[in-house]
Amino acid sequence: MEPPEWAKSTKEMDIEDITIGLSVSTLNNPFFVSLKDGIIAAAEEKGMKTIVVDAQDDSATQVSGVEDLIQQGVDILLINPTDSAAISTAVEYANSVGIPVITLDRSSDSGDVVTLVASDNEAGGQMAAEYITELLGENAIVAELEGTPGASATRERGAGFHSIAVEKLQIVSKQTGDFDRTKGLNVMENMIQGNGNIQAVFAHNDEMALGALEAINSAGKDLIVIGFDGIDDALASIRNGHLTATVAQQPVLMGEMAVQAAIDYIQGKEVEKVIAAPLKLVTKDTVDQE
């Protein structure tokens, strides 16, 4: 794709003149809706405009959407990749026309990005494994619902979980649920049929965890289930005594941090290559603090 005629290698303008192009992996997930809302609110507060495109969990749609944002003349791109490898094409195209890129929650495998704003996903996976061990003791039998293959969050949450679990727990099944509630339900049904002695489940996000809970309840079982993200539905489930815990991200704060990073970059300030948003384990004992 040829660069648009207006493309320049550098742009100097007032913050109020900046237009942010935001590409979100899916607005069907409450976590990413909160991330989007945090970005829009922070941008509006600074007088900046935001144009949002929804990739609908499809890599080709996302690349096309980013190209469209570039054609519309956005000044900086904030991208929450559906797939860390597939998004590289769009990042490299933005690089070629001089539009800076910030990635959110998931990284890009190649291309030049200003920064990645994300929670420490490996630390979050470790939190989940340690909490299961604390509740059930060593050698507990666990299943793992993995996120979308190829997403950096999937790799990192899994790596963190396994760094503890391979020594302290017995992982008898792991399958992808693509970060989706319905798929989480279906996969959990299959896991229960194949491994009736599962004691705990770690899901790479809350949507899959809540789907897994439906399957567990339908099977008449009572298992420990830990999710990841801290979405409202998960917090409500914890309050009601269903979901055991979630490794809570703070998506609105992540959005605010991304906008600030964009402003800092535009103003010529140094920006760290990775900006870590804080995580916290939320349980029945701590959920009312949220």
Side-chain angles (χ1 to χ4, degrees):
M1 189 172 184
E2 289 298 314
E5 291 182 5
W6 51 260
K8 301 175 183 178
S9 59
T10 59
K11 296 183 180 182
E12 293 182 8
M13 58 180 67
D14 294 333
I15 294 302
E16 292 80 7
D17 296 327
I18 295 296
T19 298
I20 293 172
L22 172 61
S23 171
V24 184
S25 60
T26 173
L27 291 176
N28 196 35
N29 183 325
F31 175 80
F32 296 121
V33 173
S34 295
L35 178 67
K36 175 202 65 144
D37 290 346
I39 289 166
I40 291 173
E44 282 181 354
E45 187 178 328
K46 300 292 185 181
M48 303 162 75
K49 180 183 176 185
T50 308
I51 303 174
V52 183
V53 292
D54 178 6
Q56 301 175 337
D57 255 342
D58 182 80
S59 295
T61 300
Q62 183 158 49
V63 170
S64 176
V66 171
E67 290 175 347
D68 186 52
L69 288 171
I70 291 171
Q71 292 297 321
Q72 291 184 63
V74 299
D75 301 294
I76 191 162
L77 283 162
L78 272 54
I79 301 176
N80 158 236
T82 296
D83 181 282
S84 298
I87 199 61
S88 299
T89 303
V91 174
E92 288 167 354
Y93 175 52
N95 294 160
S96 74
V97 297
I99 298 176
V101 177
I102 291 173
T103 49
L104 304 162
D105 188 54
R106 305 168 186 165
S107 63
S108 174
D109 284 355
S110 63
D112 182 34
V113 299
V114 173
T115 187
L116 164 65
V117 180
S119 302
D120 187 337
N121 284 306
E122 286 200 25
Q126 291 170 353
M127 282 182 187
E130 287 165 351
Y131 192 56
I132 291 172
T133 305
E134 179 184 327
L135 293 177
L136 295 176
E138 295 195 8
N139 295 315
I141 299 168
V142 299
E144 181 181 9
L145 278 167
E146 299 174 304
T148 305
S152 58
T154 299
R155 294 196 300 262
E156 291 159 9
R157 291 172 193 180
F161 183 69
H162 284 257
S163 70
I164 304 292
V166 291
E167 293 185 2
K168 295 188 175 181
L169 303 169
Q170 291 185 54
I171 303 171
V172 294
S173 181
K174 58 175 184 171
Q175 296 181 44
T176 181
D178 285 323
F179 289 127
D180 180 81
R181 190 178 300 202
T182 301
K183 290 181 181 177
L185 187 158
N186 294 335
V187 170
M188 193 71 235
E189 285 178 342
N190 294 334
M191 286 179 164
I192 290 170
Q193 289 172 6
N195 300 275
N197 55 352
I198 292 170
Q199 297 172 278
V201 180
F202 170 50
H204 286 195
N205 79 340
D206 287 334
E207 286 289 298
M208 292 189 297
L210 293 167
L213 266 178
E214 291 184 50
I216 290 164
N217 291 336
S218 295
K221 292 186 173 289
D222 182 17
L223 308 182
I224 284 168
V225 181
I226 298 178
F228 201 120
D229 282 343
I231 64 172
D232 288 344
D233 282 358
L235 299 179
S237 183
I238 292 170
R239 284 191 185 94
N240 293 330
H242 303 306
L243 188 65
T244 309
T246 181
V247 180
Q249 300 194 79
Q250 301 184 65
V252 172
L253 177 60
M254 286 173 64
E256 293 168 355
M257 294 168 81
V259 171
Q260 187 58 54
I263 291 169
D264 289 346
Y265 180 80
I266 290 164
Q267 292 179 334
K269 298 176 184 175
E270 186 174 345
V271 179
E272 296 289 331
K273 291 304 288 182
V274 177
I275 298 174
L279 284 170
K280 51 191 173 182
L281 184 73
V282 179
T283 67
K284 185 111 190 242
D285 292 336
T286 61
V287 68
D288 288 331
Q289 300 168 15
E290 296 304 303

